[in-house]
Amino acid sequence: MARLGSWIEPSPEGIYVRPADAWVDPSEPKPRALVTHGHADHARGGHGEVWATPETLAIMGVRYGKQTGRPMAYGECARLGDVEVSFVPAGHVLGSAQIVLEHAGERAVVSGDYKRREDPTCAPFVPTPCDIFITEATFGLPVFRHPDTGSEIDRLLHRLHSDPSRCVLVGAYALGKAQRVITELRARGHHEPIYYHGAIERLCRLYEQFGVELGELRHCAGATRQEMAGHIVICPPGALNDRWSRRLPDPVTAMASGWMRIRQRARQRNVELPLVISDHADWDELTQTIRDVAPKEVWITHGREDALLHWCMTHQIKARELNLVGYEDEDD
C-alpha cells in the first residue's frame, strides 16, 4: 500500500507534485510553478508558467514583469495532469492562497504563509479539511501570542498625538504590512494624510486597483519637515535608520512585526515603539488551524518546526519536517 502523500515529493528547493508535473513555491525557476502569494521568498521570477490568483500574478508583474500563467480565482478548480487544483484564501496578504491538491482519493493543502486575524486588505483564511496539511511555522513557539491589532494601533496613535512636533516613522514591509497598517489606522478613525517612502508606492497603488481603500497618501519627496510633523510616515524596515530618515521631523521610530515581541530584535533595529502586528499565525492560531482541518498528517515547511512537531506528536497527529530552503522569516 502506497504511503500517504507519496505523489508529493518535498525537496530543499520546493514541493514537487509529480502527477501534475508542477512545483509549489519553488526557490528556483521551474517550467510550471503553483505560487501561494507574492512575497519574494515564495514567488520567484523566471518560471515558465505560473498558476496563482490574479492578485498574486499582478504583484509578480510589478516585481518581475508580466507573467505567463494561469490566473486562478478563489474556489475555482482546474485539472493539471492527474491532479485537481484549487486555491482558497490564506489571509496573509492580498491574493494569498492555500493550494488544494486532490489526487487518488487524497487531499493535500499547502498553506503557504497564513494568519487567522481579520485583515481589511485581503480575504480571510478558509479552513479546508484535508488528509495532509502542509503548514508554515514562522511563529511556532508558545511564546508567540500576538496581541489585539487594534490595541497596537491605539498605541501608535497615542504616541503620535503625544508630541505633534514629531512624526512617527513606521517600518513595514512593502507588500502587505504597509497596506495593512494604513487600513488599520483608517479603521481606528485616523483619516489624516499618511506619508510614504517611494519604495512602497507601486504596491499601494496596486492594492487600490484591487479595491483596497487606503485614503490620502502623500509621497515624502518634496514634503517639508513642517508638513510631516504630527503625521505618520510609512517606510520599508531597511529605511528606518537610513540617511533618508534624516529629512524627517525628529521621528519616533516604530516597526510593525510579529518579531517585535522579542525585545532584542527591537533594540537591534533601534526601534522606540515596537508594534506587534503580524501577518503570520501565532502559536494558538497554528495549533487551532490543525484542529480545524483535522489532517492525518502535518508536514512543516519552515519556521520553528520542533515545537509544532512535538505538539502534533502529543496530540497523536503524525508530523514531519520538510526542511525547505529559501523561505525567510523577515517578511513579517
Side-chain angles (χ1 to χ4, degrees), residues 121-304:
T121 70
C122 62
F125 181 93
V126 175
T128 303
C130 55
D131 300 298
I132 303 169
F133 187 51
I134 305 176
T135 179
E136 63 139 320
T138 300
F139 291 110
L141 289 173
V143 68
F144 291 114
R145 288 182 163 93
H146 305 323
D148 174 68
T149 303
S151 67
E152 296 298 281
I153 294 297
D154 288 344
R155 291 176 56 236
L156 168 57
L157 290 171
H158 176 76
R159 190 61 176 271
L160 176 71
H161 297 148
S162 66
D163 189 349
S165 69
R166 305 178 71 183
C167 72
V168 179
L169 177 62
V170 182
Y173 285 92
L175 171 59
K177 187 61 62 62
Q179 297 78 23
R180 183 180 175 202
V181 168
I182 292 168
T183 56
E184 296 284 3
L185 282 163
R186 303 310 191 196
R188 303 303 276 193
H190 182 75
H191 299 296
E192 297 298 313
I194 294 174
Y195 287 85
Y196 63 87
H197 185 287
I200 74 169
E201 180 174 19
R202 289 191 303 169
L203 288 168
C204 284
R205 299 309 175 205
L206 181 65
Y207 267 62
E208 289 177 324
Q209 290 171 21
F210 279 98
V212 178
E213 296 184 4
L214 300 178
E216 184 180 355
L217 304 179
R218 295 180 183 175
H219 200 302
C220 285
T224 66
R225 290 190 177 199
Q226 291 74 21
E227 288 171 332
M228 290 186 283
H231 288 280
I232 291 170
V233 181
I234 309 282
C235 73
L240 273 178
N241 301 298
D242 191 45
R243 285 169 46 187
W244 169 87
S245 64
R246 296 176 189 172
R247 72 179 69 183
L248 304 177
D250 191 17
V252 176
T253 57
M255 184 167 173
S257 169
W259 294 112
M260 291 297 99
R261 171 68 73 187
I262 303 175
R263 292 180 181 178
Q264 184 179 1
R265 293 228 182 182
R267 287 196 296 267
Q268 286 172 345
R269 290 182 175 270
N270 297 316
V271 171
E272 298 176 56
L273 180 62
L275 302 169
V276 184
I277 300 174
S278 178
D279 283 331
H280 290 265
D282 68 6
W283 174 256
D284 291 333
E285 293 168 347
L286 288 168
T287 55
Q288 184 59 50
T289 299
I290 293 171
R291 291 188 180 99
D292 290 344
V293 303
K296 297 175 183 175
E297 293 188 15
V298 172
W299 298 1
I300 306 167
T301 58
H302 64 289
R304 317 282 86 74

